[in-house]
Amino acid sequence: MARRYEDLRAAVLGGPDRGSRHGWAVLARSGMAAWIKAVTRIPLPPKAVQHQPPEPLAVAEELVDVLALMAWTAAGGCRSG
């Protein structure tokens, strides 16, 4: 509930929609109890997931493996016979 209230407060104070997506009209017209009842029916949007890029060393090791395989294959690879 606190997160929803803080989202509304931030939107009213400076957001482009001035709080309309966060129930500002309900709060202003009908009060806090009506706002709480209204926002509890709306699911919270998922929190943004921070994508962690792969470690540079892991990428370098994979690149070395690919290049070594390419060179080995170009040189004839493992020839039996």
Side-chain angles (χ1 to χ4, degrees):
M1 187 59 56
R3 177 179 163 203
R4 289 179 186 262
Y5 176 76
E6 290 303 321
D7 289 346
L8 170 63
R9 191 170 79 79
V12 168
L13 292 175
D17 67 356
R18 306 294 292 164
S20 64
R21 291 188 349 228
H22 302 281
W24 170 241
V26 174
L27 180 63
R29 183 178 56 240
S30 303
M32 181 65 83
W35 176 80
I36 290 171
K37 192 181 291 186
V39 297
T40 56
R41 291 187 223 143
I42 303 167
L44 277 171
K47 288 187 174 183
V49 177
Q50 296 286 343
H51 175 68
Q52 296 286 340
E55 293 293 321
L57 184 57
V59 173
E61 288 174 355
E62 289 179 30
L63 182 58
V64 168
D65 289 345
V66 169
L67 291 174
L69 179 61
M70 289 171 60
W72 185 66
T73 303
C78 181
R79 296 186 183 152
S80 59

